Amino acid sequence: MFTIDKSPTFTHTVPVNVPVNGGHEKQSMKVTYRLLDDDTMGGHDTRTLNGQKNLLREAVVEIGDLVDEERQPLPFNDAMKEHILGLPWARNALLKGYTDGIVPGLLGN
């Protein structure tokens, strides 16, 4: 049976490779995405910075597991979303997380 959901969402833990001195630190965010239909997706040119950000503005519902330098929890709100979208390493991870969530990777040989 195939269920038609009028407001489909999904939540995944998204790995983020954060640049640090000498390499990258593996961190993660718990992200809830809104599933977008073809018409909505087609309206965003993800080859451009604005297209990527606008797609994620529509797709990202919530980001959890956010902390500051002292590991104190940070609230998620529109300003925090914009801050995260302005970080290339985080934005790329969010895009990959969305794509991986809707089209799971296929096992190779």
Side-chain angles (χ1 to χ4, degrees):
M1 188 176 308
F2 180 71
T3 303
I4 302 298
D5 185 343
K6 293 180 182 172
S7 300
T9 62
F10 66 94
T11 302
H12 283 192
T13 298
V14 174
V16 184
N17 289 314
V18 178
V20 296
N21 293 334
H24 293 87
E25 180 180 311
K26 294 195 181 290
Q27 298 181 12
S28 65
M29 300 180 278
K30 187 175 181 180
V31 183
T32 300
Y33 294 99
R34 177 179 299 109
L35 283 165
L36 305 176
D37 61 22
D38 283 346
D39 291 337
T40 304
M41 291 286 294
H44 301 290
D45 183 356
T46 56
R47 296 172 297 177
T48 69
L49 178 60
N50 284 336
Q52 292 173 8
K53 286 183 175 184
N54 287 334
L55 174 92
L56 290 170
R57 284 181 183 115
E58 286 196 61
V60 173
V61 175
E62 186 170 2
I63 301 174
D65 294 343
L66 301 173
V67 296
D68 64 16
E69 297 89 357
E70 286 83 38
R71 316 252 329 135
Q72 296 301 309
L74 291 171
F76 179 74
N77 53 39
D78 289 339
M80 180 61 70
K81 182 193 278 191
E82 288 303 313
H83 176 73
I84 293 169
L85 295 182
L87 305 173
W89 55 93
R91 185 177 58 256
N92 289 334
L94 288 169
L95 287 166
K96 184 174 184 330
Y98 182 78
T99 302
D100 289 351
I102 61 172
V103 182
L106 300 175
L107 295 175
N109 293 348

PDB file of all heavy atoms in Angstrom, residues 18-52:
ATOM      1  N   VAL A  18      33.149  19.554   9.707  1.00  0.00           N
ATOM      2  CA  VAL A  18      33.433  20.948  10.041  1.00  0.00           C
ATOM      3  C   VAL A  18      34.935  21.198   9.892  1.00  0.00           C
ATOM      4  O   VAL A  18      35.743  20.486  10.490  1.00  0.00           O
ATOM      5  CB  VAL A  18      32.979  21.269  11.480  1.00  0.00           C
ATOM      6  CG1 VAL A  18      33.305  22.699  11.845  1.00  0.00           C
ATOM      7  CG2 VAL A  18      31.479  20.992  11.624  1.00  0.00           C
ATOM      8  N   PRO A  19      35.318  22.209   9.105  1.00  0.00           N
ATOM      9  CA  PRO A  19      36.740  22.503   8.941  1.00  0.00           C
ATOM     10  C   PRO A  19      37.381  22.923  10.268  1.00  0.00           C
ATOM     11  O   PRO A  19      36.830  23.747  10.995  1.00  0.00           O
ATOM     12  CB  PRO A  19      36.763  23.678   7.952  1.00  0.00           C
ATOM     13  CG  PRO A  19      35.440  23.654   7.276  1.00  0.00           C
ATOM     14  CD  PRO A  19      34.485  23.088   8.275  1.00  0.00           C
ATOM     15  N   VAL A  20      38.510  22.317  10.578  1.00  0.00           N
ATOM     16  CA  VAL A  20      39.325  22.683  11.742  1.00  0.00           C
ATOM     17  C   VAL A  20      40.784  22.664  11.305  1.00  0.00           C
ATOM     18  O   VAL A  20      41.104  22.173  10.215  1.00  0.00           O
ATOM     19  CB  VAL A  20      39.110  21.713  12.927  1.00  0.00           C
ATOM     20  CG1 VAL A  20      37.685  21.783  13.452  1.00  0.00           C
ATOM     21  CG2 VAL A  20      39.457  20.290  12.556  1.00  0.00           C
ATOM     22  N   ASN A  21      41.646  23.186  12.151  1.00  0.00           N
ATOM     23  CA  ASN A  21      43.078  23.167  11.836  1.00  0.00           C
ATOM     24  C   ASN A  21      43.545  21.741  11.578  1.00  0.00           C
ATOM     25  O   ASN A  21      43.344  20.859  12.405  1.00  0.00           O
ATOM     26  CB  ASN A  21      43.889  23.780  12.974  1.00  0.00           C
ATOM     27  CG  ASN A  21      43.632  25.260  13.124  1.00  0.00           C
ATOM     28  OD1 ASN A  21      43.269  25.928  12.169  1.00  0.00           O
ATOM     29  ND2 ASN A  21      43.796  25.767  14.329  1.00  0.00           N
ATOM     30  N   GLY A  22      44.136  21.517  10.417  1.00  0.00           N
ATOM     31  CA  GLY A  22      44.676  20.204  10.091  1.00  0.00           C
ATOM     32  C   GLY A  22      43.678  19.217   9.522  1.00  0.00           C
ATOM     33  O   GLY A  22      44.015  18.058   9.323  1.00  0.00           O
ATOM     34  N   GLY A  23      42.452  19.626   9.276  1.00  0.00           N
ATOM     35  CA  GLY A  23      41.496  18.677   8.698  1.00  0.00           C
ATOM     36  C   GLY A  23      40.057  19.052   8.977  1.00  0.00           C
ATOM     37  O   GLY A  23      39.679  20.210   8.854  1.00  0.00           O
ATOM     38  N   HIS A  24      39.281  18.048   9.374  1.00  0.00           N
ATOM     39  CA  HIS A  24      37.849  18.231   9.622  1.00  0.00           C
ATOM     40  C   HIS A  24      37.448  17.486  10.886  1.00  0.00           C
ATOM     41  O   HIS A  24      38.033  16.447  11.215  1.00  0.00           O
ATOM     42  CB  HIS A  24      37.028  17.700   8.446  1.00  0.00           C
ATOM     43  CG  HIS A  24      37.222  18.494   7.200  1.00  0.00           C
ATOM     44  ND1 HIS A  24      38.243  18.235   6.318  1.00  0.00           N
ATOM     45  CD2 HIS A  24      36.547  19.550   6.710  1.00  0.00           C
ATOM     46  CE1 HIS A  24      38.177  19.095   5.321  1.00  0.00           C
ATOM     47  NE2 HIS A  24      37.154  19.900   5.535  1.00  0.00           N
ATOM     48  N   GLU A  25      36.460  18.022  11.565  1.00  0.00           N
ATOM     49  CA  GLU A  25      35.877  17.368  12.732  1.00  0.00           C
ATOM     50  C   GLU A  25      34.495  16.873  12.352  1.00  0.00           C
ATOM     51  O   GLU A  25      33.683  17.619  11.797  1.00  0.00           O
ATOM     52  CB  GLU A  25      35.767  18.360  13.890  1.00  0.00           C
ATOM     53  CG  GLU A  25      35.166  17.763  15.142  1.00  0.00           C
ATOM     54  CD  GLU A  25      35.078  18.795  16.254  1.00  0.00           C
ATOM     55  OE1 GLU A  25      36.084  19.473  16.517  1.00  0.00           O
ATOM     56  OE2 GLU A  25      33.986  18.923  16.841  1.00  0.00           O
ATOM     57  N   LYS A  26      34.209  15.611  12.628  1.00  0.00           N
ATOM     58  CA  LYS A  26      32.903  15.042  12.314  1.00  0.00           C
ATOM     59  C   LYS A  26      31.912  15.443  13.396  1.00  0.00           C
ATOM     60  O   LYS A  26      32.113  15.166  14.568  1.00  0.00           O
ATOM     61  CB  LYS A  26      32.995  13.532  12.199  1.00  0.00           C
ATOM     62  CG  LYS A  26      33.831  13.089  11.014  1.00  0.00           C
ATOM     63  CD  LYS A  26      33.607  11.630  10.702  1.00  0.00           C
ATOM     64  CE  LYS A  26      34.457  11.200   9.536  1.00  0.00           C
ATOM     65  NZ  LYS A  26      34.036  11.769   8.279  1.00  0.00           N
ATOM     66  N   GLN A  27      30.874  16.148  12.978  1.00  0.00           N
ATOM     67  CA  GLN A  27      29.782  16.540  13.855  1.00  0.00           C
ATOM     68  C   GLN A  27      28.479  16.110  13.191  1.00  0.00           C
ATOM     69  O   GLN A  27      28.501  15.549  12.093  1.00  0.00           O
ATOM     70  CB  GLN A  27      29.807  18.058  14.092  1.00  0.00           C
ATOM     71  CG  GLN A  27      31.065  18.545  14.774  1.00  0.00           C
ATOM     72  CD  GLN A  27      31.059  20.043  15.018  1.00  0.00           C
ATOM     73  OE1 GLN A  27      30.037  20.725  14.878  1.00  0.00           O
ATOM     74  NE2 GLN A  27      32.214  20.573  15.399  1.00  0.00           N
ATOM     75  N   SER A  28      27.360  16.353  13.833  1.00  0.00           N
ATOM     76  CA  SER A  28      26.079  15.983  13.229  1.00  0.00           C
ATOM     77  C   SER A  28      24.968  16.892  13.718  1.00  0.00           C
ATOM     78  O   SER A  28      25.090  17.551  14.752  1.00  0.00           O
ATOM     79  CB  SER A  28      25.731  14.522  13.524  1.00  0.00           C
ATOM     80  OG  SER A  28      25.522  14.345  14.913  1.00  0.00           O
ATOM     81  N   MET A  29      23.893  16.930  12.936  1.00  0.00           N
ATOM     82  CA  MET A  29      22.675  17.664  13.269  1.00  0.00           C
ATOM     83  C   MET A  29      21.501  16.720  13.040  1.00  0.00           C
ATOM     84  O   MET A  29      21.533  15.908  12.125  1.00  0.00           O
ATOM     85  CB  MET A  29      22.481  18.869  12.338  1.00  0.00           C
ATOM     86  CG  MET A  29      23.566  19.895  12.349  1.00  0.00           C
ATOM     87  SD  MET A  29      23.217  21.270  11.221  1.00  0.00           S
ATOM     88  CE  MET A  29      23.742  20.573   9.654  1.00  0.00           C
ATOM     89  N   LYS A  30      20.485  16.852  13.865  1.00  0.00           N
ATOM     90  CA  LYS A  30      19.254  16.088  13.655  1.00  0.00           C
ATOM     91  C   LYS A  30      18.291  17.008  12.907  1.00  0.00           C
ATOM     92  O   LYS A  30      17.863  18.032  13.447  1.00  0.00           O
ATOM     93  CB  LYS A  30      18.660  15.651  14.984  1.00  0.00           C
ATOM     94  CG  LYS A  30      17.479  14.731  14.850  1.00  0.00           C
ATOM     95  CD  LYS A  30      17.026  14.235  16.196  1.00  0.00           C
ATOM     96  CE  LYS A  30      15.857  13.294  16.052  1.00  0.00           C
ATOM     97  NZ  LYS A  30      15.411  12.821  17.366  1.00  0.00           N
ATOM     98  N   VAL A  31      18.002  16.667  11.652  1.00  0.00           N
ATOM     99  CA  VAL A  31      17.260  17.572  10.772  1.00  0.00           C
ATOM    100  C   VAL A  31      15.918  16.966  10.368  1.00  0.00           C
ATOM    101  O   VAL A  31      15.857  15.810   9.944  1.00  0.00           O
ATOM    102  CB  VAL A  31      18.082  17.893   9.500  1.00  0.00           C
ATOM    103  CG1 VAL A  31      17.343  18.898   8.631  1.00  0.00           C
ATOM    104  CG2 VAL A  31      19.474  18.400   9.861  1.00  0.00           C
ATOM    105  N   THR A  32      14.868  17.766  10.502  1.00  0.00           N
ATOM    106  CA  THR A  32      13.562  17.396   9.979  1.00  0.00           C
ATOM    107  C   THR A  32      13.353  18.181   8.696  1.00  0.00           C
ATOM    108  O   THR A  32      13.465  19.410   8.679  1.00  0.00           O
ATOM    109  CB  THR A  32      12.437  17.707  10.978  1.00  0.00           C
ATOM    110  OG1 THR A  32      12.674  16.968  12.179  1.00  0.00           O
ATOM    111  CG2 THR A  32      11.066  17.338  10.403  1.00  0.00           C
ATOM    112  N   TYR A  33      13.095  17.428   7.626  1.00  0.00           N
ATOM    113  CA  TYR A  33      12.881  18.005   6.302  1.00  0.00           C
ATOM    114  C   TYR A  33      11.425  17.858   5.895  1.00  0.00           C
ATOM    115  O   TYR A  33      10.770  16.875   6.242  1.00  0.00           O
ATOM    116  CB  TYR A  33      13.700  17.254   5.247  1.00  0.00           C
ATOM    117  CG  TYR A  33      15.192  17.372   5.353  1.00  0.00           C
ATOM    118  CD1 TYR A  33      15.939  16.364   5.960  1.00  0.00           C
ATOM    119  CD2 TYR A  33      15.864  18.456   4.801  1.00  0.00           C
ATOM    120  CE1 TYR A  33      17.322  16.447   6.018  1.00  0.00           C
ATOM    121  CE2 TYR A  33      17.250  18.543   4.853  1.00  0.00           C
ATOM    122  CZ  TYR A  33      17.979  17.534   5.469  1.00  0.00           C
ATOM    123  OH  TYR A  33      19.347  17.615   5.527  1.00  0.00           O
ATOM    124  N   ARG A  34      10.952  18.796   5.111  1.00  0.00           N
ATOM    125  CA  ARG A  34       9.659  18.712   4.444  1.00  0.00           C
ATOM    126  C   ARG A  34       9.937  18.132   3.057  1.00  0.00           C
ATOM    127  O   ARG A  34      10.838  18.597   2.359  1.00  0.00           O
ATOM    128  CB  ARG A  34       9.057  20.112   4.312  1.00  0.00           C
ATOM    129  CG  ARG A  34       7.747  20.197   3.580  1.00  0.00           C
ATOM    130  CD  ARG A  34       7.226  21.642   3.535  1.00  0.00           C
ATOM    131  NE  ARG A  34       6.993  22.160   4.886  1.00  0.00           N
ATOM    132  CZ  ARG A  34       7.737  23.097   5.490  1.00  0.00           C
ATOM    133  NH1 ARG A  34       8.759  23.651   4.871  1.00  0.00           N
ATOM    134  NH2 ARG A  34       7.459  23.493   6.712  1.00  0.00           N
ATOM    135  N   LEU A  35       9.186  17.126   2.663  1.00  0.00           N
ATOM    136  CA  LEU A  35       9.334  16.577   1.314  1.00  0.00           C
ATOM    137  C   LEU A  35       8.696  17.529   0.316  1.00  0.00           C
ATOM    138  O   LEU A  35       7.548  17.944   0.487  1.00  0.00           O
ATOM    139  CB  LEU A  35       8.678  15.199   1.218  1.00  0.00           C
ATOM    140  CG  LEU A  35       9.490  14.071   1.845  1.00  0.00           C
ATOM    141  CD1 LEU A  35       8.626  12.837   2.042  1.00  0.00           C
ATOM    142  CD2 LEU A  35      10.678  13.751   0.983  1.00  0.00           C
ATOM    143  N   LEU A  36       9.453  17.899  -0.693  1.00  0.00           N
ATOM    144  CA  LEU A  36       8.983  18.842  -1.705  1.00  0.00           C
ATOM    145  C   LEU A  36       8.656  18.098  -2.996  1.00  0.00           C
ATOM    146  O   LEU A  36       9.363  17.175  -3.382  1.00  0.00           O
ATOM    147  CB  LEU A  36      10.065  19.891  -1.976  1.00  0.00           C
ATOM    148  CG  LEU A  36      10.571  20.651  -0.747  1.00  0.00           C
ATOM    149  CD1 LEU A  36      11.712  21.580  -1.127  1.00  0.00           C
ATOM    150  CD2 LEU A  36       9.444  21.412  -0.072  1.00  0.00           C
ATOM    151  N   ASP A  37       7.595  18.530  -3.672  1.00  0.00           N
ATOM    152  CA  ASP A  37       7.219  17.883  -4.927  1.00  0.00           C
ATOM    153  C   ASP A  37       8.064  18.430  -6.077  1.00  0.00           C
ATOM    154  O   ASP A  37       8.836  19.379  -5.916  1.00  0.00           O
ATOM    155  CB  ASP A  37       5.727  18.038  -5.208  1.00  0.00           C
ATOM    156  CG  ASP A  37       5.287  19.489  -5.347  1.00  0.00           C
ATOM    157  OD1 ASP A  37       6.130  20.369  -5.642  1.00  0.00           O
ATOM    158  OD2 ASP A  37       4.087  19.754  -5.171  1.00  0.00           O
ATOM    159  N   ASP A  38       7.918  17.827  -7.248  1.00  0.00           N
ATOM    160  CA  ASP A  38       8.723  18.218  -8.411  1.00  0.00           C
ATOM    161  C   ASP A  38       8.546  19.681  -8.786  1.00  0.00           C
ATOM    162  O   ASP A  38       9.515  20.354  -9.153  1.00  0.00           O
ATOM    163  CB  ASP A  38       8.375  17.356  -9.626  1.00  0.00           C
ATOM    164  CG  ASP A  38       8.991  15.973  -9.560  1.00  0.00           C
ATOM    165  OD1 ASP A  38       9.886  15.754  -8.722  1.00  0.00           O
ATOM    166  OD2 ASP A  38       8.583  15.119 -10.368  1.00  0.00           O
ATOM    167  N   ASP A  39       7.333  20.187  -8.722  1.00  0.00           N
ATOM    168  CA  ASP A  39       7.101  21.575  -9.096  1.00  0.00           C
ATOM    169  C   ASP A  39       7.875  22.527  -8.179  1.00  0.00           C
ATOM    170  O   ASP A  39       8.482  23.498  -8.643  1.00  0.00           O
ATOM    171  CB  ASP A  39       5.604  21.920  -9.061  1.00  0.00           C
ATOM    172  CG  ASP A  39       4.826  21.227 -10.172  1.00  0.00           C
ATOM    173  OD1 ASP A  39       5.443  20.857 -11.196  1.00  0.00           O
ATOM    174  OD2 ASP A  39       3.611  21.059 -10.010  1.00  0.00           O
ATOM    175  N   THR A  40       7.863  22.241  -6.903  1.00  0.00           N
ATOM    176  CA  THR A  40       8.593  23.077  -5.945  1.00  0.00           C
ATOM    177  C   THR A  40      10.087  22.930  -6.144  1.00  0.00           C
ATOM    178  O   THR A  40      10.825  23.926  -6.193  1.00  0.00           O
ATOM    179  CB  THR A  40       8.207  22.702  -4.502  1.00  0.00           C
ATOM    180  OG1 THR A  40       6.786  22.816  -4.364  1.00  0.00           O
ATOM    181  CG2 THR A  40       8.894  23.606  -3.494  1.00  0.00           C
ATOM    182  N   MET A  41      10.555  21.689  -6.285  1.00  0.00           N
ATOM    183  CA  MET A  41      11.986  21.443  -6.487  1.00  0.00           C
ATOM    184  C   MET A  41      12.477  22.116  -7.768  1.00  0.00           C
ATOM    185  O   MET A  41      13.554  22.699  -7.795  1.00  0.00           O
ATOM    186  CB  MET A  41      12.277  19.943  -6.558  1.00  0.00           C
ATOM    187  CG  MET A  41      12.106  19.190  -5.265  1.00  0.00           C
ATOM    188  SD  MET A  41      13.413  19.501  -4.088  1.00  0.00           S
ATOM    189  CE  MET A  41      14.807  18.788  -4.918  1.00  0.00           C
ATOM    190  N   GLY A  42      11.677  22.053  -8.822  1.00  0.00           N
ATOM    191  CA  GLY A  42      12.063  22.612 -10.110  1.00  0.00           C
ATOM    192  C   GLY A  42      12.210  24.121 -10.094  1.00  0.00           C
ATOM    193  O   GLY A  42      12.850  24.698 -10.972  1.00  0.00           O
ATOM    194  N   GLY A  43      11.645  24.756  -9.099  1.00  0.00           N
ATOM    195  CA  GLY A  43      11.750  26.197  -8.983  1.00  0.00           C
ATOM    196  C   GLY A  43      13.043  26.685  -8.367  1.00  0.00           C
ATOM    197  O   GLY A  43      13.238  27.885  -8.197  1.00  0.00           O
ATOM    198  N   HIS A  44      13.927  25.753  -8.022  1.00  0.00           N
ATOM    199  CA  HIS A  44      15.186  26.108  -7.360  1.00  0.00           C
ATOM    200  C   HIS A  44      16.371  25.598  -8.170  1.00  0.00           C
ATOM    201  O   HIS A  44      16.501  24.396  -8.390  1.00  0.00           O
ATOM    202  CB  HIS A  44      15.243  25.504  -5.957  1.00  0.00           C
ATOM    203  CG  HIS A  44      14.121  25.963  -5.082  1.00  0.00           C
ATOM    204  ND1 HIS A  44      14.030  27.252  -4.597  1.00  0.00           N
ATOM    205  CD2 HIS A  44      13.041  25.312  -4.611  1.00  0.00           C
ATOM    206  CE1 HIS A  44      12.945  27.362  -3.861  1.00  0.00           C
ATOM    207  NE2 HIS A  44      12.316  26.197  -3.856  1.00  0.00           N
ATOM    208  N   ASP A  45      17.216  26.498  -8.597  1.00  0.00           N
ATOM    209  CA  ASP A  45      18.440  26.125  -9.320  1.00  0.00           C
ATOM    210  C   ASP A  45      19.536  25.905  -8.290  1.00  0.00           C
ATOM    211  O   ASP A  45      20.166  26.855  -7.822  1.00  0.00           O
ATOM    212  CB  ASP A  45      18.833  27.233 -10.300  1.00  0.00           C
ATOM    213  CG  ASP A  45      20.055  26.868 -11.131  1.00  0.00           C
ATOM    214  OD1 ASP A  45      20.652  25.788 -10.900  1.00  0.00           O
ATOM    215  OD2 ASP A  45      20.423  27.673 -12.003  1.00  0.00           O
ATOM    216  N   THR A  46      19.741  24.647  -7.922  1.00  0.00           N
ATOM    217  CA  THR A  46      20.711  24.336  -6.865  1.00  0.00           C
ATOM    218  C   THR A  46      22.157  24.467  -7.326  1.00  0.00           C
ATOM    219  O   THR A  46      23.069  24.215  -6.555  1.00  0.00           O
ATOM    220  CB  THR A  46      20.469  22.930  -6.283  1.00  0.00           C
ATOM    221  OG1 THR A  46      20.515  21.970  -7.339  1.00  0.00           O
ATOM    222  CG2 THR A  46      19.126  22.863  -5.575  1.00  0.00           C
ATOM    223  N   ARG A  47      22.350  24.911  -8.571  1.00  0.00           N
ATOM    224  CA  ARG A  47      23.712  25.227  -9.025  1.00  0.00           C
ATOM    225  C   ARG A  47      24.127  26.612  -8.550  1.00  0.00           C
ATOM    226  O   ARG A  47      25.287  26.986  -8.689  1.00  0.00           O
ATOM    227  CB  ARG A  47      23.802  25.142 -10.549  1.00  0.00           C
ATOM    228  CG  ARG A  47      23.542  23.736 -11.097  1.00  0.00           C
ATOM    229  CD  ARG A  47      23.453  23.756 -12.594  1.00  0.00           C
ATOM    230  NE  ARG A  47      22.299  24.592 -12.967  1.00  0.00           N
ATOM    231  CZ  ARG A  47      21.948  24.894 -14.189  1.00  0.00           C
ATOM    232  NH1 ARG A  47      22.660  24.464 -15.208  1.00  0.00           N
ATOM    233  NH2 ARG A  47      20.886  25.641 -14.441  1.00  0.00           N
ATOM    234  N   THR A  48      23.162  27.364  -8.007  1.00  0.00           N
ATOM    235  CA  THR A  48      23.461  28.701  -7.506  1.00  0.00           C
ATOM    236  C   THR A  48      23.319  28.735  -5.986  1.00  0.00           C
ATOM    237  O   THR A  48      22.566  27.948  -5.396  1.00  0.00           O
ATOM    238  CB  THR A  48      22.510  29.755  -8.105  1.00  0.00           C
ATOM    239  OG1 THR A  48      21.196  29.549  -7.584  1.00  0.00           O
ATOM    240  CG2 THR A  48      22.492  29.683  -9.630  1.00  0.00           C
ATOM    241  N   LEU A  49      24.017  29.674  -5.374  1.00  0.00           N
ATOM    242  CA  LEU A  49      23.940  29.839  -3.924  1.00  0.00           C
ATOM    243  C   LEU A  49      22.519  30.182  -3.492  1.00  0.00           C
ATOM    244  O   LEU A  49      21.990  29.578  -2.552  1.00  0.00           O
ATOM    245  CB  LEU A  49      24.923  30.932  -3.485  1.00  0.00           C
ATOM    246  CG  LEU A  49      24.952  31.268  -2.002  1.00  0.00           C
ATOM    247  CD1 LEU A  49      25.331  30.054  -1.176  1.00  0.00           C
ATOM    248  CD2 LEU A  49      25.927  32.413  -1.758  1.00  0.00           C
ATOM    249  N   ASN A  50      21.883  31.127  -4.176  1.00  0.00           N
ATOM    250  CA  ASN A  50      20.509  31.494  -3.819  1.00  0.00           C
ATOM    251  C   ASN A  50      19.550  30.333  -4.003  1.00  0.00           C
ATOM    252  O   ASN A  50      18.642  30.145  -3.191  1.00  0.00           O
ATOM    253  CB  ASN A  50      20.042  32.704  -4.633  1.00  0.00           C
ATOM    254  CG  ASN A  50      20.636  33.995  -4.120  1.00  0.00           C
ATOM    255  OD1 ASN A  50      21.018  34.087  -2.959  1.00  0.00           O
ATOM    256  ND2 ASN A  50      20.721  34.990  -4.985  1.00  0.00           N
ATOM    257  N   GLY A  51      19.741  29.551  -5.057  1.00  0.00           N
ATOM    258  CA  GLY A  51      18.887  28.392  -5.283  1.00  0.00           C
ATOM    259  C   GLY A  51      19.014  27.361  -4.178  1.00  0.00           C
ATOM    260  O   GLY A  51      18.021  26.788  -3.718  1.00  0.00           O
ATOM    261  N   GLN A  52      20.247  27.114  -3.736  1.00  0.00           N
ATOM    262  CA  GLN A  52      20.477  26.168  -2.641  1.00  0.00           C
ATOM    263  C   GLN A  52      19.807  26.652  -1.363  1.00  0.00           C
ATOM    264  O   GLN A  52      19.085  25.903  -0.694  1.00  0.00           O
ATOM    265  CB  GLN A  52      21.973  25.993  -2.398  1.00  0.00           C
ATOM    266  CG  GLN A  52      22.701  25.292  -3.495  1.00  0.00           C
ATOM    267  CD  GLN A  52      24.205  25.295  -3.283  1.00  0.00           C
ATOM    268  OE1 GLN A  52      24.715  25.696  -2.240  1.00  0.00           O
ATOM    269  NE2 GLN A  52      24.930  24.851  -4.294  1.00  0.00           N
TER     270      GLN A  52
END
